[in-house]
Amino acid sequence: MKKTSGTETTAASSDPQDRLAQAVRAAEHALIEFEIAVETFRVEVENFSRLHHQKLGPMYARLDELDALIAEAVAANSGDRDDIRRAWEARALVMPMPGVEELFGGLLGSDGVRPVEDPHPPRRVRPGKEAQRLYRELARKAHPDLAQDEAEQERRSEFIARVNEAYAYADEERLRELAAEWEAGPVPEEQQPSEGEVLYARLEWLAQRKEQLAAVAAELEESAIAQMMKLSPDDPDGLLNEIAESLLNQVANREARLAELVRSQKGPE
């Protein structure tokens, strides 16, 4: 039996195809980490957008209604054709007007003072630290990009879809259940590419996937909600409260303007 020398072993480990396989594995793990980062950011943006709509949406609707009423009052006073056109345009933008309780509920108490604790806060679904840890661990273990067999990729894709859904709703209990389910399931075998053509094709696919994710990330970064989040990355809830205060002041100013126009229509008593 012929013995293998240390020199021959070293030469084998430096084989170009072995190095290519290592490059593929490194690219796979880098892509997974990038996907985790993009998905985490997407959930943060969607959750902030949901809270923004729940908390501030009624006030934006109130401002639109007041703008329409003011434009109509101005048109009624002047009779000017341009004022009438602007009134029609303002009214066309109005959504159903929220009631006073819907507008101010949870922001001001019955005495006009902000309550210490909001009795009806918007549903918070921002994942906590534990949910983030569970999500990252599951994504790293069960990511479809780690499997090249079509059936295994499909199984992992279905599993990761459930993981993403649980994470989007910050459901730590569900994430723990999914972690237990994965641990109890079959351990996937690592499949090492055996041919250079397959490895090159794999690298090309990974590069294309990264480009797609980069485009998604760029779109998220450029969104209005993401730009708003950048104003207060450490305290997004505080930012919403500041915007709410500003909107309340705008509502008050428009209410005063509308009251003034209504009085001018009635004339001196």
Side-chain angles (χ1 to χ4, degrees):
M1 179 175 179
K2 183 179 179 180
K3 295 183 179 179
T4 302
S5 67
T7 303
E8 290 175 340
T9 302
T10 303
S13 63
S14 62
D15 182 80
Q17 187 159 306
D18 288 341
R19 294 199 301 271
L20 184 58
Q22 293 175 5
V24 168
R25 290 194 294 272
E28 286 175 342
H29 290 295
L31 179 64
I32 290 171
E33 294 299 322
F34 188 40
E35 259 193 273
I36 289 173
V38 173
E39 178 64 15
T40 299
F41 184 51
R42 183 191 67 78
V43 169
E44 291 175 356
V45 170
E46 288 187 356
N47 286 336
F48 187 81
S49 177
R50 186 180 296 111
L51 288 172
H52 180 275
H53 176 73
Q54 290 173 340
K55 192 166 189 177
L56 305 182
M59 282 186 282
Y60 284 122
R62 176 74 171 183
L63 286 171
D64 287 343
E65 174 66 22
L66 289 170
D67 285 339
L69 291 173
I70 289 171
E72 289 166 351
V74 169
N77 282 342
S78 69
D80 183 80
R81 180 171 298 177
D82 288 337
D83 287 341
I84 294 173
R85 175 182 53 79
R86 281 189 285 269
W88 275 97
E89 291 174 350
R91 177 55 61 186
L93 296 175
V94 172
M95 297 179 66
M97 184 175 180
V100 174
E101 293 182 0
E102 181 183 359
L103 174 62
F104 294 98
L107 291 174
L108 298 179
S110 58
D111 55 357
V113 179
R114 180 185 296 278
V116 175
E117 183 176 354
D118 187 346
H120 303 291
R123 181 174 180 268
R124 297 181 182 276
V125 291
R126 188 175 297 114
K129 296 293 184 182
E130 180 63 10
Q132 292 178 18
R133 183 189 68 80
L134 291 167
Y135 169 73
R136 290 189 175 97
E137 287 186 0
L138 284 169
R140 292 185 181 111
K141 291 178 180 178
H143 201 283
D145 290 345
L146 290 176
Q148 294 183 3
D149 177 75
E150 184 175 349
E152 177 63 8
Q153 284 183 341
E154 184 176 350
R155 183 180 79 89
R156 287 170 175 256
S157 296
E158 184 276 333
F159 181 82
I160 286 296
R162 290 187 285 145
V163 171
N164 288 339
E165 181 180 9
Y167 180 70
Y169 286 95
D171 192 342
E172 292 183 13
E173 181 178 354
R174 179 57 177 157
L175 287 170
R176 291 191 184 92
E177 293 174 355
L178 289 168
E181 176 185 331
W182 182 259
E183 293 300 327
V187 178
E189 296 181 0
E190 289 191 18
Q191 300 183 17
Q192 299 295 334
S194 59
E195 298 179 358
E197 294 80 6
V198 175
L199 292 173
Y200 278 117
R202 181 69 171 163
L203 279 177
E204 183 178 357
W205 181 89
L206 289 168
Q208 292 174 351
R209 178 60 178 160
K210 187 174 182 180
E211 288 181 4
Q212 294 171 354
L213 287 172
V216 172
E219 185 176 354
L220 286 170
E221 286 280 357
E222 295 170 1
S223 67
I225 290 295
Q227 294 299 317
M228 187 181 301
M229 291 172 62
K230 289 180 181 179
L231 298 175
S232 183
D234 298 327
D235 186 19
D237 292 335
L239 177 61
L240 288 178
N241 289 334
E242 290 180 12
I243 297 174
E245 293 287 355
S246 175
L247 291 176
L248 286 172
N249 289 333
Q250 293 180 48
V251 168
N253 292 335
R254 282 171 171 76
E255 291 278 12
R257 171 62 174 155
L258 180 60
E260 180 183 348
L261 289 169
V262 172
R263 284 195 300 270
S264 67
Q265 285 179 349
K266 294 180 179 178
E269 296 182 357

